[in-house]
Amino acid sequence: MFIKTDYLVIGSGIAGLSFALKAAESGKVMLITKSNEDESNTKYAQGGIAAVWHSADSFEKHIADTLNAGAGLCNEKIVRQVVSEGTKRVEELIDLGTQFDRNANGQYDLAKEGGHSEHRILHHKDVTGLEIERALLKKIHSHGNITVLDHYFAIDIITQHHLGKRVTSSTPDITCYGAYVLNTKNGHVDTVLSKITVMATGGIGQVYSTTTNPVIATGDGIAMVYRAKGKVKDMEFVQFHPTSLYNPGERPSFLITEAMRGFGAILKTADNREFMHKYDARGSLAPRDIVSRAIDHEMKTRGDDFVYLDCRHLDRKGLIDHFPNIYTKCMGLGIDPFLNMIPIVPAQHYLCGGIAVDEFAQSSILNLYAVGECACTGLHGANRLASNSLLEAVVYAHRAFENARLKLPEISLQGGIPEWNAEGTEHAEEMVLITQSRKEVQQIMSNYVGIVRSSLRLKRAFDRLEILYKENEALYEKTTITQALSELRNLICIGYLIIKQAMERKESVGLHYLIEFKKKETV
Ligand code: FAD
Ligand code: SIN
C-alpha cells in the first residue's frame, strides 16, 4: 500500500511529538511509532528539563556548565543557541499543559543535578517525562492534521538507491522520498511517500546488556541513515548514568535520578565511606563521565558488584514528596532509604553522537531531518550535561519546523518508487538465531566497549561483531522482514559504528576513556 503525506515523523518521544504539533500548522503529518504511542525514552525521564529560569541564574552560567561537561568538544555556537532559546521552548511546553512542580511560594521548584552550578531543572515529581508525554499526546490527539500510526516500524528510508541509482557516501544530493514501514500487526510493508521526513527514533541503549533505556531503544534511525549513506558522528560518546538501581535480572535498569544527589544523597562504598571527593572537588555532583568512571574504579579495586547511595540523613517528607516513584520502588524491594543505603551501579543511558545535523536539524540527506537523541547537533560534545537532552529535543524540533515549513512548498512527492521487495524471502525458521545474536551483541558491547576501554578490547569487539554481521546479513537476505530481524540488523550496525569511531579517536576525552591515555581524575 502507498501512503502519501507532507511530513513523515518517525518516533513519538518528545522530539517527534513536538515537531509534529508544530508542523501540523503547515501540512499533513503522518507520525509512526513502533510500539504503543507513549513508549519512548522520554516516558521514563525522571530528573527534568534544564532551563534558565530565575534571576540568580543566567544563560552564560548554563552555557559554561554545558561546555564544561562536554570536555572541550561542544560546538559553542550550538550551545549558545540551545540555552538561549530553551527557556521559550519550555514555556511552550507549559502553555500546552505540562505541569511542573511548584514550591510553597508558587515558584517553580528548581532542582540541581551533576555539573550544574545553579538550580535550574524543572520537573514533575520524579516522573517528568511521563508528564511531558501526556501533555504532548493530548494535544496531538486533538489536532486534525496529524495521523498517528502505532505499531508501525520504519525499516529503511527511501532514496535514489530504490530507483536503481548508485548511491555512495560521496553522492552530493542523496534525497529522502519517505520510508518503508512495517505494520507489525499484520506483517505488511507499506510505502510512505513524504515531502519531508523527520527521524526522531531516540537512543541505542539496547545495544548494551545493562541500560536504563526501554526495549524500543535500538538505534533504528541512526542505522537507517547510515545504510542510506548519510553522515553519522560522535558515536564513541556513550553516556553511562552513574546511579541505576542494582537489582540483578531487572531490565531495563531502574534509574535513581541524579536529582537525588542534588537533594543531598551521597555516594559511598560498602564501608560507609564517601569516595567521590578523591576524584573531583564537586564530589557526588561531578559530571556523569567522572562519577561513572570513579564508581567503576571503586567497584573494580574493591571487588564489589555495586556501590551505595546514602539518603539516610535526608528529610523524610521532602524526599518522599520529590521522589515518590523511586521511594515506592525501593520500598517494594525491601530497601527503606531512611534505614538502608541504596545499592547502585552505572548503566548505559544516553548517546551523545548520532545523525550529523546542522543548526536547523538538517541531515546530510536532502529533505531528511533528525531531532532528539538520534541526532548529533554538537550540543553535548564528549559528555552531555544532565537534563539537557529534553531541552535539546524541544529546541531542535522547533528549529527543524522553522526550516522545513519554508521548504515544503518547493518539494513534490517522488514518483516511480517501487513497493517493498520481498521476493525470495521466507519466514524465519528459528527465532533463536535472532534472539541469541541480540544477546551476543549486548555482551560484546558491555564487556569490551563500556565505561573504560582499551585498543585491545575494541579490536576484539570489532572482530566478534564482524562474525555476527556476516551471519545476520546472510539471514536478512533470505528471511521475510520482521521487527526483531530488522532491529538486530540495526543493533549490529550501531555496535559497529560505536567501535569504529572509538577506534579512530586516539585520546581519552569525556565519555571515551582509553586506558592507554589515562586521565588525571582516576587515582
Ligand atoms: P524517545 O523518547 O526515545 O522516542 C523515540 C521514539 O521513536 C519512540 O516512540 C520509539 O518507539 C520510536 N521508534 C524508534 N525506532 C523506530 C522505528 N524503527 N520505527 C518507528 N518508531 C520508532 N533527559 C533529560 O533531559 N532529563 C531527564 O530527566 C532524563 N531522564 C532520563 C531517564 C531515563 C530512565 C532515560 C532512559 C533517559 C532520560 N533522559 C533524560 C534522556 C531523555 O529522556 C531522552 O534522551 C529523550 O527523551 C529522547 O527523546 P526522543 O524524542 O529523541 O526519543
Ligand atoms: C536523571 O534524572 O538523573 C537523568 C537526567 C538525564 O539523563 O538528563
Side-chain angles (χ1 to χ4, degrees):
M1 183 168 86
F2 282 96
I3 300 171
K4 294 180 182 176
T5 184
D6 292 324
Y7 297 102
L8 168 63
V9 180
I10 306 175
S12 57
I14 186 171
L17 296 177
S18 300
F19 178 87
L21 264 183
K22 294 191 174 209
E25 299 305 318
S26 62
K28 290 271 177 209
V29 178
M30 169 79 51
L31 188 146
I32 67 158
T33 190
K34 70 178 173 179
S35 179
N36 297 333
E37 62 178 9
D38 68 342
E39 189 58 11
S40 57
N41 276 8
T42 302
K43 179 179 176 183
Y44 302 95
Q46 292 188 355
I49 184 163
V52 173
W53 211 259
H54 61 68
S55 54
D57 198 1
S58 68
F59 291 150
E60 285 308 318
K61 284 186 188 170
H62 191 180
I63 289 164
D65 293 345
T66 303
L67 293 172
N68 192 342
L73 292 190
C74 301
N75 179 333
E76 185 169 343
K77 180 178 161 206
I78 299 297
V79 174
R80 291 189 171 277
Q81 280 172 354
V82 172
V83 168
S84 58
E85 293 170 20
T87 308
K88 175 91 188 76
R89 301 285 84 84
V90 175
E91 279 166 5
E92 287 173 0
L93 279 179
I94 294 169
D95 290 345
L96 62 83
T98 311
Q99 302 279 324
F100 292 118
D101 291 350
R102 292 174 185 269
N103 58 27
N105 302 327
Q107 310 292 325
Y108 282 112
D109 177 43
L110 302 174
K112 191 172 179 185
E113 293 179 355
H116 288 274
S117 56
E118 289 290 341
H119 285 77
R120 62 167 75 98
I121 322 284
L122 289 110
H123 61 95
H124 179 95
K125 306 286 179 198
D126 52 358
V127 287
T128 307
L130 192 67
E131 169 61 10
I132 293 175
E133 279 280 315
R134 181 202 63 73
L136 283 167
L137 279 168
K138 190 168 175 209
K139 284 282 175 199
I140 291 267
H141 292 152
S142 62
H143 205 300
N145 254 357
I146 306 176
T147 307
V148 177
L149 297 179
D150 59 14
H151 298 276
Y152 267 75
F153 176 84
I155 306 166
D156 266 318
I157 59 165
I158 301 169
T159 67
Q160 293 94 322
H161 168 76
H162 299 94
L163 294 170
K165 300 197 177 135
R166 185 174 139 75
V167 176
T168 69
S169 49
S170 45
T171 305
D173 60 349
I174 308 172
T175 308
C176 179
Y177 306 127
Y180 290 116
V181 303
L182 173 70
N183 176 341
T184 57
K185 288 180 182 156
N186 64 18
H188 291 159
V189 178
D190 294 329
T191 309
V192 181
L193 299 177
S194 53
K195 295 178 181 170
I196 302 260
T197 303
V198 178
M199 208 56 93
T201 47
I204 56 108
Q206 292 296 318
V207 86
Y208 285 90
S209 314
T210 311
T211 176
T212 62
N213 293 188
V215 288
I216 51 93
T218 50
D220 301 341
I222 300 169
M224 281 186 254
V225 169
Y226 182 72
R227 276 197 295 276
K229 313 290 183 209
K231 290 198 173 50
V232 170
K233 61 186 283 217
D234 289 359
M235 295 293 287
E236 65 275 34
F237 298 122
V238 177
Q239 186 168 66
F240 287 76
H241 196 291
T243 56
S244 81
L245 184 65
Y246 177 77
N247 185 24
E250 180 168 10
R251 194 174 154 77
S253 302
F254 182 83
L255 187 74
I256 307 286
T257 176
E258 196 158 307
M260 273 188 104
R261 279 174 279 140
F263 193 73
I266 296 169
L267 286 163
K268 290 186 173 173
T269 39
D271 51 2
N272 200 23
R273 284 199 192 164
E274 190 274 344
F275 59 86
M276 268 314 301
H277 280 94
K278 281 194 291 187
Y279 299 86
D280 192 286
R282 290 163 288 188
S284 292
L285 277 175
R288 279 186 194 163
D289 55 338
I290 296 171
V291 181
S292 290
R293 263 197 308 277
I295 295 175
D296 187 71
H297 188 254
E298 290 294 326
M299 282 170 24
K300 285 194 176 127
T301 48
R302 295 174 55 84
D304 290 342
D305 290 336
F306 50 86
V307 296
Y308 287 101
L309 192 64
D310 191 357
C311 305
R312 293 172 298 177
H313 55 290
L314 298 177
D315 170 59
R316 170 177 280 275
K317 182 173 176 328
L319 186 136
I320 297 173
D321 276 357
H322 279 85
F323 310 107
N325 183 38
I326 293 173
Y327 177 74
T328 306
K329 174 77 183 182
C330 289
M331 291 300 280
L333 293 171
I335 305 163
D336 180 339
F338 300 104
L339 297 176
N340 319 111
M341 296 200 287
I342 304 172
I344 60 91
V345 69
Q348 190 287 341
H349 184 64
Y350 184 82
L351 176 69
C352 295
I355 302 162
V357 293
D358 69 8
E359 62 188 294
F360 298 106
Q362 300 181 97
S363 75
S364 62
I365 296 179
L366 297 176
N367 304 338
L368 178 73
Y369 293 72
V371 288
E373 189 168 340
C374 69
C376 181
T377 63
L379 173 70
H380 309 307
N383 176 43
R384 175 177 67 99
L385 182 68
S387 289
N388 264 0
S389 172
L390 296 174
L391 183 72
E392 181 192 48
V394 284
V395 169
Y396 267 83
H398 182 81
R399 289 188 146 257
F401 149 72
E402 288 283 17
N403 190 273
R405 81 189 161 113
L406 298 178
K407 280 176 59 185
L408 189 73
E410 297 161 14
I411 305 171
S412 310
L413 292 178
Q414 178 68 36
I417 302 291
E419 291 216 55
W420 178 255
N421 182 5
E423 213 179 287
T425 62
E426 288 174 7
H427 289 286
E429 274 175 32
E430 293 187 300
M431 242 337 247
V432 69
L433 294 180
I434 295 170
T435 51
Q436 186 55 30
S437 292
R438 186 167 168 140
K439 279 186 204 145
E440 282 178 40
V441 175
Q442 291 166 344
Q443 278 163 6
I444 291 168
M445 295 304 289
S446 291
N447 290 339
Y448 304 125
V449 202
I451 296 172
V452 174
R453 302 164 180 178
S454 74
S455 300
L456 213 58
R457 289 181 209 170
L458 292 178
K459 171 80 172 74
R460 175 170 284 204
F462 191 89
D463 293 345
R464 299 284 193 276
L465 206 65
E466 195 172 19
I467 298 170
L468 288 175
Y469 170 76
K470 286 184 181 151
E471 282 173 2
N472 195 56
E473 286 303 295
L475 189 69
Y476 194 84
E477 286 295 306
K478 59 177 193 192
T479 309
T480 306
I481 192 80
T482 61
Q483 180 172 337
L485 179 63
S486 185
E487 283 184 347
L488 173 60
R489 194 177 190 218
N490 293 336
L491 288 169
I492 292 171
C493 174
I494 296 298
Y496 163 78
L497 287 167
I498 294 172
I499 299 166
K500 184 168 164 286
Q501 297 190 3
M503 287 170 112
E504 284 163 7
R505 188 173 285 283
K506 308 276 185 217
E507 61 177 336
S508 282
V509 57
L511 297 159
H512 175 63
Y513 185 84
L514 269 182
I515 51 175
E516 292 94 325
F517 300 90
K518 279 201 165 51
K519 289 183 75 180
K520 64 177 183 308
E521 87 267 356
T522 303
V523 292

